[in-house]
């Protein structure tokens, strides 16, 4: 294909498509024309990508097509009417795609944390490098437990929620660089392992697990999912398969942005548990049971609901979600 000649031959058609797509109001005849221009433009874009790959002309035409598509999907799409499909299909499907990678991230974290704990407990000098005996005793006997009740429950909930949501968002946003997610995972595993070592060295291992269990089940799982999403984006860039790297990043990025939205809600729930349940003067079986119930509900949503959504053809792609909410009339 002679791209310049092809562009010159269809330039007026593309300009007309852009013009119609930019108008705030369309007559009946103009709406019909826009549909025709959209269909023709989609065919032209397919021809360009097939023969020339990613080009400036193709990118400009793609923008025009996107604006035209919004004339059909944006006008009649109601946000509230889209929410059920988002939570029943799109979000669980996006989470389901990450199930095995999430498991791998969890296994990695617990292995690293366990190795650090065993290493520190077997080498007193390691703990001595963290702090003096008095400082470590203060952490084990007072600070670890006091952390959960040092602030009012509501403000503490907001603090841990925003902090964890920020970490999760960073994992997804910076996943493409490749090294950020492993770094965050390693740092978290190291901190978890060293804290466990300090608590066990003062015979407070039971306290460590009791105070981590109520909120930690759901909180850690959410971080594992965020890390898996970041790694998925990186892998889409490294091994896009039959797609171009741009297509792979765009498709997986849109789907995994859905995960980021979902994790904000999940981490809010874990924050409420950490702020109101963990420090509460209730029997431990009740507090841990609440945390286990939260984790069980999330895993059911991720695996069972996600598997059903995937079998129905949902991919978690935002673009497909928008198009599916209001189908374009093709004539």
């Amino acid at each position: 294909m002679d791209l310049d000649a092809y562009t010159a031959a269809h330039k007026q058609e593309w300009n007309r498509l852009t013009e119609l797509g930019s108008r705030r109001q369309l007559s009946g005849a103009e709406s019909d024309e826009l549909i025709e221009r959209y269909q023709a433009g989609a065919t032209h874009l397919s021809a360009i990508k097939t023969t020339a790959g990613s080009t400036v002309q193709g990118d400009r035409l793609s923008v025009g097509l996107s604006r035209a598509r919004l004339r059909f999907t944006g006008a009649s799409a109601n946000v509230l009417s889209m929410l059920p499909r988002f939570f029943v299909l799109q979000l669980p499907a996006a989470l389901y795609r990450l199930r095995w990678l999430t498991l791998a991230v969890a296994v990695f974290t617990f292995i690293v944390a366990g190795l650090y704990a065993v290493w520190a407990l077997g080498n007193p000098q390691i703990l001595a490098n963290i702090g003096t005996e008095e400082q470590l005793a203060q952490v084990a006997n007072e600070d670890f437990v006091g952390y959960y009740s040092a602030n009012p429950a509501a403000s503490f909930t907001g603090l841990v929620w925003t902090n964890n949501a920020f970490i999760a968002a960073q994992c997804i946003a910076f996943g493409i660089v490749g090294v950020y997610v492993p770094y965050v995972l390693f740092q978290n595993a190291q901190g978890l392992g060293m804290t466990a070592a300090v608590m066990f060295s003062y015979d407070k291992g039971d306290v460590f697990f009791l105070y981590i269990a109520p909120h930690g089940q759901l909180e850690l799982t959410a971080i594992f999912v965020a890390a898996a999403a970041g790694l998925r984006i990186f892998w889409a860039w490294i091994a896009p398969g039959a797609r171009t790297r741009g297509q792979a990043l765009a498709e997986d990025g849109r789907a995994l942005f859905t995960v980021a939205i979902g994790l904000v809600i999940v981490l809010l729930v874990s924050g409420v548990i950490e702020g109101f349940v963990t420090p509460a003067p209730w029997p431990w079986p009740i507090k841990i049971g609440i945390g286990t119930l939260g984790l069980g509900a999330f895993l059911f949503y991720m695996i069972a609901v996600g598997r059903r959504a995937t079998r129905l053809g949902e991919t978690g792609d935002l673009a497909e979600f928008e198009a599916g909410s209001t189908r374009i009339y093709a004539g």
Side-chain angles (χ1 to χ4, degrees), residues 202-227:
Y202 286 88
D203 295 324
K204 298 289 185 178
D206 57 337
V207 175
F208 172 78
F209 284 115
L210 288 174
Y211 274 83
I212 289 291
H215 65 276
Q217 297 179 70
L218 188 58
E219 179 183 288
L220 288 174
T221 301
I223 297 301
F224 297 156
V225 172

Side-chain angles (χ1 to χ4, degrees), residues 10 17 24 26 30 47 68 73 78 100 127 157 179 195 217 219 236 241-242 250 265 289 294 298 309 314:
H10 298 287
L17 172 68
R24 298 185 64 180
L26 295 172
E30 288 172 337
T73 61
N78 182 289
W100 296 118
L127 293 178
T157 296
V179 297
T195 301
Q217 297 179 70
E219 179 183 288
I265 301 173
F298 176 71
E314 182 62 55

Side-chain angles (χ1 to χ4, degrees), residues 7 9 11 26 105 139 152 164 180 192 273 293 309:
T7 301
K11 185 175 182 180
L26 295 172
V105 168
V139 170
N164 291 331
Y180 184 79
L192 190 65
I273 295 175
L293 182 64

